[in-house]
Amino acid sequence: MENQTVNNNDEVEIDLGEVFHLLLSKLGVIVLSGIVFCLAAVMGTMLLITPKYESTTKIVVLSKQDSSTLTNQDIQTSTSLTKDYAELIQSRQVVETVIAQLNLDLTYEQFLNKLTVTTQNDTRILSITVKDEDPYMASQIADAIRVAAAGHIQNVMNTEAVNVVDEANIPDEPVSPSIKKNGLIGAVAGAFIAIIVIIVVYLTNDTIQTSEDVERYLGVSTLGIIPIREGQKKNKKKNKNGRGRKK
């Protein structure tokens, strides 16, 4: 007898066309998975995440109170100092003053997480934004910060005017969480997970299913294919069920 040596190749060849057609055939599963994850993300956002509201007030700090005598040097000085003003607004003195006035149960660090101070380029306008679960409280905190910061800036920087550009608004709709954004992320994640699972199952499935698989994995040619009729499949299932019920 001749000894036949079978060389096992550990490399796995992936037919991209076959994978593409496989994904097309499983398109319903992928879409269903995306819908399920989307609904789960939307429901989780609505039930588990508390909405938050933002209120913004704006101020402008001038080195002269009388605008008729305002010079270019005053404007340049005010513009260059806006970052200093932003730091003063977030200072401990201003924050603790607001906490005491509104009787807030917050620490200095917790309060700063609610507060955002931004400056627009080439302007002297500072925006004070407060985020809170209560829209009315967000508006009250923003106005309180503006008033406390105005006095603190005047004392520290020796300025004569901190003018109000916009008072704090009472927000109508929450800024976070975004139900649409989270739903979209859930849909994409669900579809992606389904695709990964389908591809992994395809790659780990080493069963021989077609004559092409015989030639590909065993290296031999098939002489013929014996089809199984539908009636034979049913009879086999009945025989298996019958043997399973025997004791």
Side-chain angles (χ1 to χ4, degrees), residues 185-202:
I185 294 174
V188 174
F192 180 76
I193 291 174
I195 292 173
I196 294 299
V197 171
I198 292 172
I199 293 177
V200 170
V201 171
Y202 165 76

Side-chain angles (χ1 to χ4, degrees), residues 15 86 118 131 134 143 159 161 180 191 214 226 234 239:
D15 189 347
T118 58
K131 183 181 293 186
D134 186 351
D143 279 332
T159 59
K180 293 182 179 179
V214 174
I226 302 177
K234 293 181 179 179
N239 293 335

